Amino acid sequence: MIAAWSVEDVRAAEEAAMANLPDGELMQRAAKGLAKVLAVRVEDIAGARVVGLVGSGGNGGDTLFALARLARTDARRELLAGVAAVLVSDRGAHEAGLDAARAAGVDVVDCAGRDGEDPSEALDVACDLVAEADVLVDGITGIGGTPGWSGSTADRCRTLIDCTDDDAYVVAVDLPSGADPAGLVLDSEGVWADETVTFGCAKPVHLLGTAARCGLLTLVDIGLEMVTTPVAVRLDHDDVADLWPLPGPDDDKYSRGVLGVVAGGENYTGAALLAVTAAVCAGAGMVRYLGPPTPSSLVRAAVPEAVHGVGRVQAWTVGPGLDPEPGDEAPDGDVRQVTTAREALDSGEPCVVDAGALELLDGPRPRAGARTLLTPHAGELARLLSRIEGDEVTREEVQADPVGHARRAANAVHATVLLKGSTTYVVPPQVSGLPVRVVADAPAWLSTAGSGDVLAGLTGTLLAAGLDPYDAGSVAATVHGLAGHEANPGGPVRALDVAHVLPRTIAALLRRAAS
C-alpha cells in the first residue's frame, strides 16, 4: 500500500523530526538520498551532464546539496562531463547549499544576474546548459508551491523547460514544479518528470490525478513519523488479494453471496449480459437476473448459471443499460424495469448504483444506513450533482476537480462514490474519516462501451460477498484494470473478453500473493 499525507501533516511531521535533530540534518538526509538516486541514473551514461534547476526554498537546498555530493563523488570517479546548477529565483538560493555546491566544483549560473552578469546573457548560458543535460534535476518548487508558474520567474521557468532536450531524463525533487501539491488541480503548466524523488512519505500529488506527471516515484526515508490519517491511498496487488473474499469448505451459494442484477432493456440488451457474465466469472455464489424478455433470453443462452426472477439476494447491481425515463412508446418491459430498479434502491440491501439508476437518485436511499456504491463517470456525476444541488455542474468541472466533486456527491447521497476514469477514485463520505483510494491499473484500451457494465457486475459480486462499498469499489476497480491488460496486452480490448478473463486474473492475483 502507498499512502499519501497532506502537506500540512507532512510539515508537522518535519517540524517534529527537526526538533530532535541537529540543525539541517533533515535536509542532509534528503540530499544524500537524492544524490544516490542521481548517481544510479548516470551510471550507464558515458560523460553524463547533470543540471539542476534551483529555486529559493528548501527544495532548492535539497537539490544544491545533492549536486554537491554528486560532484564530490564524481571527482573520485571522473564519470561525469559536468554538474551545474541554474538559479531561477529572484530571491536567490539556499545559502549553505549554494556554498556547498560551489565548494564541490558545481558550475553555478544565476539567471537573476546577482553575480554581475546580464540576466538575459545568463539565461542564454543556462539554456545552453539545460539543452546539453542528460539528467535534468527539477528543484524549482516543492510542496509549498502553487499550481502552475507564477510571479516574476514564470517566463524564466518556461524558457528553461522549453530548452530541455527530449531525451533528457528529468528527475523532480519532491514533486514536478508547477504541479498542485494537493493533487486536485490537474491542468497546470510546469514540469513533467520521468521520475520524482520524494522524502519521508508520499504526498497527494503523487497518487491523485497529477500522478502521471510524476513518473516513477522513488521514496527516500528521512525518518518522518506520520501519526495522522493519510488523505489518499493506493492499494498494491497484495492488498487486493488480502481483501478478496475466499470461499471456505462450509460455504454454499447463499453464504458466498447472491447478487441481484437489474440491468438492460429492450433497447440496451448487452448491458445485462455483460454485468451478469462479469458477476458469474468473478465468483458470485448466485446471480439472479431481473429484466425484460429480450435481455433475459440473451442471459439464459449465454450464462446458464444465472437464475431469473424475484428471490433472495444479498446485494444489488442496478442500472447498467437502464433507461430511467422510458417514453410512452416504450415496451412494457422497460417500464417495469424502472419499477424493479426503484424497488431495489428502496430496499435495505447493499447496492451498486450505475448508469441509468443514477438518474433515479435525488438524495440518500430511503432505508437509512443502506450501504451504497455509486459508479458514475464524469458526465453522470455532473448530472447527479446538478440535480441534487440545484446548480448546473459540467463534465469539465468534474474532470478539473474529480475528488472534490465525488466528495460532494458522497456526502449528499450518504454513499461511497467510485468515479470512473483513466484514474479511478473511490471516495467515501467525509464523515467516515477514510482516505480517498486511487486506482490507476487499467490500460487506456479499456475505455470502451460495456466496460462499465463489467465493472458494475464485478463490484456487485464483492458487495454480495460481504465487502463494504469502500473495499468493494477499490478491489473491483483494480481487478477490472488487471483483467483489461490480461484480455489483450497492448491492444484493443473487448468488454466481454474482460469479463471472461476475470477467473484467471483473480487466480493469478491470489497465487502471487500466496507465493
Side-chain angles (χ1 to χ4, degrees):
M1 177 186 298
I2 302 175
W5 278 264
S6 70
V7 171
E8 293 76 16
D9 287 345
V10 172
R11 293 296 195 207
E14 288 175 341
E15 290 178 6
M18 287 188 289
N20 298 305
L21 293 172
D23 187 39
E25 173 62 20
L26 214 58
M27 180 172 285
Q28 290 301 323
R29 292 180 181 180
K32 182 179 181 180
L34 175 59
K36 286 184 176 180
V37 173
L38 295 176
V40 171
R41 300 298 173 252
V42 301
E43 278 182 351
D44 297 327
I45 305 174
R49 295 180 182 273
V50 180
V51 177
L53 302 180
V54 179
S56 60
N59 188 260
D62 296 337
T63 304
L64 287 167
F65 278 119
L67 294 175
R69 285 177 175 271
L70 188 66
R72 286 198 301 270
T73 300
D74 188 63
R76 298 190 295 271
R77 297 186 306 173
E78 297 182 350
L79 296 177
L80 298 176
V83 180
V86 175
L87 312 185
V88 303
S89 176
D90 293 332
R91 296 193 299 272
H94 189 278
E95 290 187 8
L98 187 56
D99 290 343
R102 283 178 167 146
V106 175
D107 295 328
V108 177
V109 177
D110 187 346
C111 286
R114 278 178 296 269
D115 290 338
E117 298 179 71
D118 180 270
S120 61
E121 292 181 2
L123 185 59
D124 289 340
V125 172
C127 278
D128 289 341
L129 284 171
V130 169
E132 295 174 357
D134 297 291
V135 176
L136 184 71
V137 186
D138 165 30
I140 302 174
T141 60
I143 60 174
T146 55
W149 301 127
S150 61
S152 59
T153 62
D155 289 341
R156 192 176 299 153
C157 292
R158 292 188 192 99
T159 299
L160 291 167
I161 296 302
D162 287 344
C163 291
T164 307
D165 188 274
D166 290 341
D167 293 330
Y169 188 78
V170 179
V171 178
V173 181
D174 228 2
L175 57 76
S177 296
D180 179 14
L184 301 178
V185 178
L186 306 188
D187 186 17
S188 61
E189 63 176 339
V191 173
W192 284 72
D194 296 295
E195 179 176 6
T196 296
V197 180
T198 195
F199 311 111
C201 66
K203 291 80 179 178
V205 63
H206 304 131
L207 295 191
L208 300 181
T210 45
R213 66 191 292 175
C214 295
L216 171 70
L217 182 64
T218 300
L219 179 63
V220 173
D221 183 8
I222 57 172
L224 297 187
E225 183 179 358
M226 305 308 300
V227 296
T228 54
T229 301
V231 297
V233 168
R234 178 173 292 172
L235 301 182
D236 61 31
H237 294 175
D238 286 345
D239 297 322
V240 172
D242 288 343
L243 288 168
W244 191 267
L246 300 177
D250 296 327
D251 274 319
D252 58 29
K253 60 190 175 185
Y254 296 109
S255 62
R256 287 182 61 182
V258 180
L259 175 66
V261 177
V262 183
E266 293 298 337
N267 292 322
Y268 301 100
T269 56
L273 180 59
L274 290 165
V276 171
T277 301
V280 168
C281 289
M286 179 191 293
V287 179
R288 185 182 298 281
Y289 178 65
L290 293 85
T294 301
S296 292
S297 297
L298 289 174
V299 171
R300 289 182 191 278
V303 194
E305 300 94 334
V307 298
H308 295 256
V310 177
R312 172 183 175 185
V313 303
Q314 272 88 40
W316 292 99
T317 285
V318 185
L322 177 74
D323 183 354
E325 295 183 353
D328 294 338
E329 304 299 321
D332 290 342
D334 283 1
V335 176
R336 288 196 301 272
Q337 189 74 327
V338 174
T339 300
T340 303
R342 290 190 182 278
E343 290 172 350
L345 293 174
D346 290 346
S347 76
E349 303 297 342
C351 193
V352 176
V353 186
D354 184 55
L358 292 165
E359 304 291 336
L360 304 180
L361 290 178
D362 293 312
R365 292 172 60 198
R367 295 285 187 92
R371 295 187 296 167
T372 307
L373 178 65
L374 313 184
T375 57
H377 56 58
E380 291 167 338
L381 182 57
R383 292 194 294 274
L384 176 65
L385 287 171
S386 298
R387 187 170 62 256
I388 291 174
E389 297 180 346
D391 294 322
E392 184 180 2
V393 177
T394 67
R395 182 189 189 101
E396 291 72 24
E397 288 172 332
V398 172
Q399 290 172 328
D401 182 9
V403 173
H405 287 86
R407 182 78 77 189
R408 282 160 55 183
N411 292 339
V413 184
H414 302 171
T416 297
V417 175
L418 186 159
L419 179 56
K420 296 179 286 194
S422 56
T423 299
T424 291
Y425 302 97
V426 180
V427 183
Q430 194 79 39
V431 68
S432 73
L434 295 170
V436 173
R437 280 186 176 164
V438 186
V439 182
D441 292 275
W445 289 107
L446 199 54
S447 56
T448 185
S451 177
D453 304 329
V454 172
L455 177 62
L458 169 59
T459 310
T461 296
L462 295 174
L463 273 187
L467 269 64
D468 61 57
Y470 183 62
D471 286 338
S474 310
V475 171
T478 303
V479 171
H480 184 247
L482 294 176
H485 286 289
E486 178 72 19
N488 189 3
V493 176
R494 184 184 179 194
L496 189 58
D497 288 344
V498 175
H500 284 152
V501 302
L502 284 172
R504 69 170 180 261
T505 301
I506 295 163
L509 193 69
L510 296 175
R511 280 197 304 271
R512 284 195 297 269
S515 62

